[in-house]
Amino acid sequence: MFSLLLIDKGEMVIFYGKMVIVKVSRKKGEWVMNTVIAADIHLSMASTRIIGQDAAIHQIERAIRRVTSGLARRKNKPLASFLFTGPSGVGKTETAKAIAELVYGDIRRIVRFNANEVSGEGSQWRAFGPPPGYMGSDTGGQITQGVKRFGGRCVILIDEIEKGPQEIFDGLMACLDEGYLQDASFDERISTEDCIVVMTSNALVDDECAELTEEELRERVVNSKATDPRTGQKISRFRREFVGRIGNVVHFRSLSRETLTQILADTYLRETAVQIAINLQLLAPDMTPKALGFLVDQVGSGRFGVRGISKVLDEYILDRVLELPEREEINSKCWVWDFDEEEGKLILVPAFTTSHGGFLAMYRQYPQYSKEVVAQKVIQKYDWLFEKTKDEIRRRLALKKAVGGLHRLY
């Protein structure tokens, strides 16, 4: 059975059963059709990029292919269920967003619930709704009503589930076992048969867990201890019968320095450089290995994962570019960031000037590349940034025009 979902004016998704098969989007005045085949599904196709977790991503992709092909479809069960374990900030939540975009055609089709926010007495009702007569019973539960708003086609994301009360686990048991959630406020059963359930946990942080089989990993999860938010005691949060109902248990490794370097460079180009280009008309698509190494040093050893990257880019890139007195004079050229060891700060240098051209031969620590090859790589990044900036400016102008039209109406 085919069904059509209109996301916005410029994007539509066509379903066959529960799987996205065609995504139609409007680009530069033309409609573009992208067909999604189950065997070709890769999380790299999503706009959210997960770097440095190849083994985990491969395991998740296999599970999603089984579901979207229809081979692993089971009655009265969610489409798929996952428990992501590993340190904080290594890509677990971003992977859930990529799944939402890949399977349901929209990264926004996700019902997110932070279990660590429901530690107080009675606060577990926020998830599945308080009984009639209690405060908040007129709105229902955050998870149950969120799934209902999406028509049952969404990712249910429970972050840091080990910090939640036992009632969270009890409510999810029916979801994993029978394919529904019970909203206590309205005494309503909400089907989750078309949902993908993703739970994240920081219970296992050892990299050695990545070498375990899934059966061994499940045993580690069952034996793991978490602090009870009510009593402060260490208890076993994951009961064996609960873990046994989870379809896939996947471990995410901690990030190495090389991975942090790659993520920082990618985040800079796709986010920070675009904002600088739009707001300051300054095109700086890249940075030297010396500047990149300096920024990675500021991120630290990776104990907090990628969450420190945005802060470092804000502090050492955005603050620095706002301090540049000559920025009005340097727009419309291609620039890169370098690190001045004497002053101990980042500086902007022309990408192809003679005085700084030597650094290009060491671009990204690949000395085997000639300066011509490296220069071509910088030009490619420049072209990508230029086009991305134009597209973002067009999008903002269109949004501003739409908002202006609404103001005239009201």
Side-chain angles (χ1 to χ4, degrees):
M1 178 179 178
F2 290 93
S3 58
L4 176 66
L5 173 67
L6 179 63
I7 297 177
D8 56 35
K9 286 185 176 180
E11 195 167 49
M12 293 184 295
V13 174
I14 301 174
F15 290 88
Y16 178 71
K18 312 301 183 290
M19 181 187 67
V20 175
I21 60 167
V22 176
K23 185 172 182 179
V24 186
S25 57
R26 191 176 182 88
K27 294 183 178 180
K28 298 181 180 178
E30 297 182 357
W31 288 96
V32 179
M33 181 179 294
N34 297 316
T35 304
V36 180
I37 306 299
D40 297 331
I41 284 180
H42 300 281
L43 289 181
S44 59
M45 297 162 59
S47 59
T48 299
R49 302 189 68 199
I50 300 96
I51 299 174
Q53 302 291 352
D54 294 345
I57 296 304
H58 179 63
Q59 184 179 349
I60 295 165
E61 286 175 342
R62 285 188 302 173
I64 293 177
R65 289 193 197 106
R66 290 194 297 267
V67 170
T68 54
S69 67
L71 296 175
R73 179 66 173 155
R74 291 178 174 84
K75 190 176 181 180
N76 298 328
K77 301 283 185 184
L79 282 180
S81 56
F82 298 93
L83 173 63
F84 296 162
T85 68
S88 176
V90 295
K92 300 190 293 293
T93 300
E94 293 302 309
T95 300
K97 295 178 182 178
I99 293 173
E101 182 178 0
L102 197 63
V103 177
Y104 301 106
D106 188 357
I107 198 171
R108 295 166 294 185
R109 296 185 74 83
I110 186 166
V111 177
R112 184 173 181 178
F113 187 82
N114 292 316
N116 62 343
E117 297 177 358
V118 292
S119 58
E121 190 69 31
S123 57
Q124 71 275 5
W125 292 339
R126 290 173 53 189
F128 310 115
Y134 283 79
M135 182 181 295
S137 61
D138 56 332
T139 58
Q142 289 184 17
I143 298 178
T144 50
Q145 295 305 307
V147 173
K148 187 176 180 179
R149 281 194 300 272
F150 284 126
R153 286 198 181 110
C154 62
V155 169
I156 301 173
L157 172 61
I158 315 294
D159 267 329
E160 298 185 278
I161 187 172
E162 78 280 1
K163 297 179 181 178
Q166 188 59 48
E167 290 82 358
I168 298 292
F169 291 84
D170 295 341
L172 288 173
M173 283 283 281
C175 173
L176 298 173
D177 205 28
E178 299 294 336
Y180 72 88
L181 289 170
Q182 187 79 25
D183 193 302
S185 299
F186 307 114
D187 193 24
E188 178 183 17
R189 283 191 176 186
I190 297 173
S191 173
T192 57
E193 292 185 31
D194 300 340
C195 295
I196 293 178
V197 181
V198 177
M199 297 161 281
T200 71
S201 172
N202 300 331
L204 303 179
V205 297
D206 298 330
D207 278 345
E208 64 180 32
C209 293
E211 310 301 328
L212 301 177
T213 65
E214 187 171 348
E215 190 67 26
E216 293 170 334
L217 188 59
R218 288 177 184 268
E219 196 65 31
R220 287 284 188 94
V221 171
V222 170
N223 296 327
S224 64
K225 302 288 185 180
T227 303
D228 190 308
R230 296 173 181 173
T231 64
Q233 298 178 345
K234 291 284 187 179
I235 60 172
S236 296
R237 272 297 181 202
F238 296 96
R239 292 177 296 178
R240 192 173 297 274
E241 59 269 26
F242 180 82
V243 176
R245 286 170 168 81
I246 301 172
N248 306 270
V249 180
V250 184
H251 185 74
F252 284 66
R253 294 175 175 271
S254 58
L255 301 178
S256 64
R257 181 180 175 86
E258 290 74 16
T259 301
L260 281 174
T261 301
Q262 188 179 355
I263 294 173
L264 192 149
D266 186 77
T267 303
Y268 169 76
L269 177 62
R270 294 177 177 273
E271 298 178 12
T272 308
V274 173
Q275 294 303 318
I276 292 174
I278 292 173
N279 294 285
L280 300 178
Q281 295 77 54
L282 172 62
L283 292 172
D286 208 356
M287 58 185 73
T288 68
K290 190 184 297 183
L292 190 58
F294 169 76
L295 292 175
V296 173
D297 289 340
Q298 310 313 307
V299 174
S301 60
R303 293 191 304 273
F304 301 103
V306 300
R307 291 194 171 95
I309 288 179
S310 295
K311 182 178 182 299
V312 167
L313 289 174
D314 289 349
E315 183 176 347
Y316 292 94
I317 295 289
L318 296 185
D319 288 354
R320 179 66 184 132
V321 77
L322 289 172
E323 295 171 356
L324 295 174
E326 69 278 11
R327 67 174 184 271
E328 293 84 1
E329 305 172 8
I330 60 176
N331 53 20
S332 75
K333 295 181 181 179
C334 181
W335 297 79
V336 294
W337 290 99
D338 198 5
F339 180 67
D340 190 323
E341 294 183 349
E342 293 184 0
E343 296 188 16
K345 61 183 180 182
L346 297 175
I347 58 173
L348 275 173
V349 296
F352 306 112
T353 185
T354 305
S355 59
H356 289 273
F359 88 84
L360 290 174
M362 299 183 294
Y363 175 86
R364 288 288 179 274
Q365 300 178 352
Y366 294 131
Q368 68 272 24
Y369 288 158
S370 67
K371 185 184 297 186
E372 290 73 19
V373 172
V374 174
Q376 185 62 36
K377 289 179 176 290
V378 177
I379 292 172
Q380 290 173 356
K381 286 194 173 188
Y382 176 90
D383 291 341
W384 181 91
L385 178 59
F386 186 75
E387 292 300 322
K388 179 71 174 179
T389 302
K390 288 198 302 183
D391 291 343
E392 180 65 17
I393 290 174
R394 290 193 190 102
R395 187 190 69 82
R396 293 188 181 189
L397 289 174
L399 180 61
K400 185 176 180 181
K401 184 178 179 181
V403 172
L406 288 174
H407 286 166
R408 287 191 294 271
L409 287 174
Y410 296 97

